[in-house]
Amino acid sequence: MQSGKLVTMDEFTIQETRKFPQATGELSSLLRDLGLAGKIINKQVRKAGLGDVLGKHGATNVQGEEQMKLDIFANETLINILKNSTDCAGIASEENDDHLSYEDTFSANSKYVVLFDPLDGSSNIDVNAPIGTIFAIYRRVSELGKPCTEADFLQPGSRLMAAGYIIYGSSTMMVYATKVSVNGFTLEPSIGEFCLSHPNIKCPEDGKIYSINQGNSIKYTQEMHGYLNYCMEENKEEGRPYSQRYIGSMVADLHRTLVKGGIFIYPADKSAPKGKLRLQYECNPMAFIVEAAGGKVVCGKRNILDIQPTELHQRTPIFIGSKNMVSKALEFVREKEAVV
Ligand code: FDP
């Protein structure tokens, strides 16, 4: 990036698309629509605390979790913007029971579908901690010209075309990955545009931070305890003990892990034998991003991206982050965490 010259996300995406003569520009246009949704959600998040934005909505979602007002706002914003897009055949949201296929002619002829978690980390909304929107884009497998089907949304992460997140933190950033690279764009409030700030992000091969809800450790396996003890043990040559950081907002914990290195773990435990986090809305897109940045992601023996989903709201354990840290964790837990 040239110093002093702002490169907007649109400019960047169009330049990247030009490298592929066969590209139609549909993916770029979809990313622009997701960026627009992010800006609208950001506007609402930034004024949370003023007016009637904070707090519970009073309903629960498909997983029985209480929905916050901002969850609903973010969900509706994404659904409407993608409906009006010319490049999205349908969506599946963590907040909705089923996928939604847009049935107008433009949408039926669109080749992409989008899955999203509209507002991840929503238990942090009321305390002003970072939250985010996560998205995953697949090329549909159903026939063009017809409404999309559930099969379009039940594809393994290895088939993702692009994935990304928008983090509403000390600044607002959109990070997206294609198979080629991962790039981060910071919202420049004076022009209302995401501008390239973190070109070609690479996840450091090693790190010094482990991120896990250690308060749940009573429910973890002996093998997990072994790994946690390893993280806490003193070994000056190897830089241990590691620091422990856990915001409890996957986007925020993973953004730090991607940029600074480290490991983020949400394991299976006694009360959640399949883990807590959702495969299609959270783990696959984050796994795609971290792998594209040179990191590593597993759920025990296998790569998360290879799992063939069987239902929309499937969960999985996850170990994700710096390559060497994830490999080390696997030496402790390899067999026990392979529950999917
Ligand atoms: P939240 O419930 O606040 O929406 O899957 C959602 C998620 O947050 C993740 O963002 C976060 O990493 C995780 O759950 C936190 O779960 P615990 O509170 O069980 O640690």
Side-chain angles (χ1 to χ4, degrees):
M1 191 178 48
Q2 255 178 294
S3 72
K5 181 178 181 314
L6 288 181
V7 177
T8 68
M9 192 175 80
D10 284 356
E11 285 178 302
F12 177 86
T13 310
I14 290 164
Q15 291 308 328
E16 288 299 294
T17 307
R18 286 195 174 146
K19 294 181 188 160
F20 301 92
Q22 72 284 12
T24 58
E26 287 167 79
L27 189 58
S28 320
S29 151
L30 197 46
L31 288 165
R32 184 165 54 235
D33 294 333
L34 287 160
L36 172 63
K39 288 183 217 171
I40 294 173
I41 297 166
N42 177 62
K43 187 166 168 258
Q44 205 67 2
V45 168
R46 294 293 167 208
K47 62 182 187 194
L50 299 170
D52 194 21
V53 179
L54 292 181
K56 293 174 183 151
H57 176 261
T60 51
N61 68 12
V62 58
Q63 2 241 343
E65 296 159 343
E66 229 165 355
Q67 289 175 306
M68 310 295 277
K69 287 177 194 157
L70 271 175
D71 280 328
I72 308 276
F73 176 83
N75 197 33
E76 286 173 359
T77 301
L78 280 154
I79 290 175
N80 290 331
I81 285 183
L82 293 173
K83 184 174 194 309
N84 292 332
S85 158
T86 50
D87 304 295
C88 180
I91 62 98
S93 163
E94 196 203 276
E95 296 296 337
N96 292 9
D97 296 8
D98 298 314
H99 75 275
L100 186 65
S101 98
Y102 300 135
E103 302 205 348
D104 59 285
T105 314
F106 263 124
S107 304
N109 280 299
S110 301
K111 60 182 183 217
Y112 296 115
V113 295
V114 182
L115 292 91
F116 53 79
D117 178 354
L119 213 56
D120 178 67
S122 45
S123 55
N124 281 311
I125 294 173
D126 285 358
V127 295
N128 226 338
I131 45 179
T133 298
I134 309 175
F135 60 87
I137 302 175
Y138 287 96
R139 190 187 285 263
R140 60 191 285 195
V141 290
S142 59
E143 203 181 323
L144 270 187
K146 301 209 167 136
C148 62
T149 66
E150 194 178 55
D152 296 321
F153 299 91
L154 295 181
Q155 300 190 56
S158 54
R159 297 233 188 100
L160 277 163
M161 300 301 295
Y165 58 83
I166 299 149
I167 177 166
Y168 314 102
S170 45
S171 65
T172 299
M173 264 188 84
M174 177 156 167
V175 173
Y176 81 78
T178 58
K179 286 196 170 127
V180 183
S181 62
V182 185
N183 293 279
F185 306 83
T186 300
L187 186 63
E188 192 350 322
S190 65
I191 55 168
E193 291 284 354
F194 286 106
C195 296
L196 186 62
S197 53
H198 295 61
N200 201 17
I201 299 174
K202 296 285 175 211
C203 181
E205 286 192 0
D206 274 303
K208 300 255 169 283
I209 299 174
Y210 72 108
S211 187
I212 185 168
N213 186 342
Q214 205 153 345
N216 282 340
S217 60
I218 189 121
K219 301 187 231 164
Y220 295 160
T221 58
Q222 266 192 332
E223 290 74 7
M224 266 308 300
H225 280 273
Y227 179 64
L228 293 179
N229 288 336
Y230 167 84
C231 292
M232 293 184 288
E233 179 179 274
E234 185 158 40
N235 183 325
K236 286 208 176 104
E237 265 170 35
E238 295 181 11
R240 284 180 284 130
Y242 296 145
S243 293
Q244 203 267 357
R245 298 273 183 278
Y246 188 73
I247 298 167
S249 167
M250 191 195 193
V251 171
D253 282 313
L254 271 178
H255 182 66
R256 182 197 56 245
T257 305
L258 185 64
V259 173
K260 282 194 159 181
I263 184 168
F264 172 88
I265 305 174
Y266 207 109
D269 65 37
K270 276 186 207 148
S271 55
K274 293 201 164 172
K276 174 186 179 188
L277 302 180
R278 286 59 164 198
L279 176 63
Q280 284 101 309
Y281 307 108
E282 298 172 307
C283 297
N284 269 340
M286 286 303 190
F288 182 83
I289 297 165
V290 168
E291 261 204 8
K296 182 165 176 163
V297 192
V298 291
C299 61
K301 278 200 268 207
R302 51 198 299 210
N303 186 328
I304 282 190
L305 295 171
D306 293 332
I307 299 172
Q308 170 61 55
T310 52
E311 47 173 310
L312 271 182
H313 296 279
Q314 193 164 327
R315 295 171 195 259
T316 176
I318 186 167
F319 294 71
I320 179 169
S322 295
K323 209 195 253 176
N324 295 340
M325 286 186 89
V326 173
S327 301
K328 188 72 198 177
L330 270 188
E331 288 175 19
F332 287 85
V333 300
R334 185 168 291 276
E335 298 302 327
K336 283 285 172 157
E337 296 295 326
V339 295
V340 183

